[in-house]
């Protein structure tokens, strides 16, 4: 995968988004959850390649909320908060 070159040895992707996300006003990013962190990545271009990546280690995440909205699935949400 395109994200593979950014993974640490033995790090595994456990979830990736189908569509693109908005992160801090930056659009067109794919989201990846690994066993160590959350990565937001966008790679563009064929000849003039550019990429953007944001990463958040799990130890820095206090809480999260994921809401999936689609045509077939009306709404699916999950969240957690670290104590």
């Amino acid at each position: 995968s395109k994200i593979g070159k950014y993974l640490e040895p033995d790090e595994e992707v456990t979830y990736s988004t189908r569509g693109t996300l908005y992160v801090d006003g930056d659009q067109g990013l794919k989201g990846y959850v690994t066993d160590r962190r959350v990565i937001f990545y966008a790679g563009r271009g064929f000849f003039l390649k550019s990429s953007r990546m944001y990463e958040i280690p799990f130890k820095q995440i206090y809480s999260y909320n994921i809401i999936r909205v689609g045509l077939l699935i009306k709404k699916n949400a999950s969240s957690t908060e670290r104590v």
Side-chain angles (χ1 to χ4, degrees):
S1 73
K2 293 180 181 182
I3 197 73
K5 64 183 178 182
Y6 297 105
L7 298 178
E8 298 173 8
D10 299 324
E11 185 176 19
E12 295 183 26
V13 174
T14 58
Y15 177 81
S16 64
T17 60
R18 288 180 143 178
T20 58
L21 307 168
Y22 288 86
V23 178
D24 278 342
D26 198 355
Q27 64 182 5
L29 297 155
K30 294 260 308 168
Y32 300 88
V33 177
T34 74
D35 52 350
R36 300 177 191 168
R37 58 191 168 148
V38 176
I39 301 170
F40 301 102
Y41 172 80
R44 293 202 173 98
F46 188 71
F47 293 110
L48 299 173
K49 295 183 180 187
S50 67
S51 62
R52 297 182 322 278
M53 186 181 90
Y54 304 90
E55 63 179 324
I56 306 168
F58 282 145
K59 64 183 178 181
Q60 293 180 1
I61 298 174
Y62 176 74
S63 66
Y64 71 85
N65 187 19
I66 298 172
I67 300 173
R68 292 180 219 140
V69 178
L71 296 174
L72 299 175
I73 299 174
K74 298 284 185 185
K75 185 175 180 182
N76 182 7
S78 65
S79 63
T80 189
E81 189 169 327
R82 190 173 64 198
V83 183

